[in-house]
Amino acid sequence: MTQSEVESTDRRILELLAADGRMSFTDLGKATGLSTSAVHQRVKRLESRGMIRGYGATIDHEQLGLPLAAFISIRPIDPSQPDDSPERLQGIREIESCWSVAGEESYILKIRVPTPADLEDLLARIRSAANVATRTTIVLSTPYENRSVV
């Protein structure tokens, strides 16, 4: 196999696993034209190279009681203070993700809460814990999320 063929096969395996992390090696083999043992070896190699960092479940947050999602951009009130917002906010369970970004804000947080009142409370806790100003964008709907770009 050439390098580009190996790469395209590995990409196909990554794409399939991103869509269904529980797909069996047998089914991966059928989808890629490889034997079960060859797929197993490739997956193990992708894991050891850090290309597959884990497997997870897709959660229905509405059924979990967390229908309100929002993005909260934060920036320090005093830019001369240490850049430790992620550490200060790490214990706040409603924060699902924290991204360091370029632009006016320093970080963008993805959060999930039950109600607008809970969002208001969360904003106060974030401002207090990290000494930051916030800008909030509420998610109205999610046509798609976590798509594979492989």
Side-chain angles (χ1 to χ4, degrees), residues 51-124:
M51 294 185 79
I52 297 174
R53 296 180 10 189
Y55 301 87
T58 302
I59 307 298
D60 184 331
H61 290 92
E62 285 199 31
Q63 289 191 39
L64 194 59
L66 300 169
L68 197 155
F71 293 96
I72 302 171
S73 300
I74 63 172
R75 60 180 165 70
I77 291 175
D78 182 356
S80 69
Q81 292 300 306
D83 182 11
D84 60 355
S85 293
E87 292 82 10
R88 289 175 174 230
L89 300 172
Q90 192 167 11
I92 298 178
R93 294 180 47 103
E94 295 92 341
I95 300 173
E96 184 176 295
S97 301
C98 174
W99 296 285
S100 175
V101 297
E104 282 188 44
E105 285 86 11
S106 300
Y107 297 93
I108 296 178
L109 312 174
K110 180 180 179 185
I111 64 90
R112 294 188 187 272
V113 293
T115 68
D118 292 306
L119 175 58
E120 186 174 26
D121 173 66
L122 176 61
L123 288 168

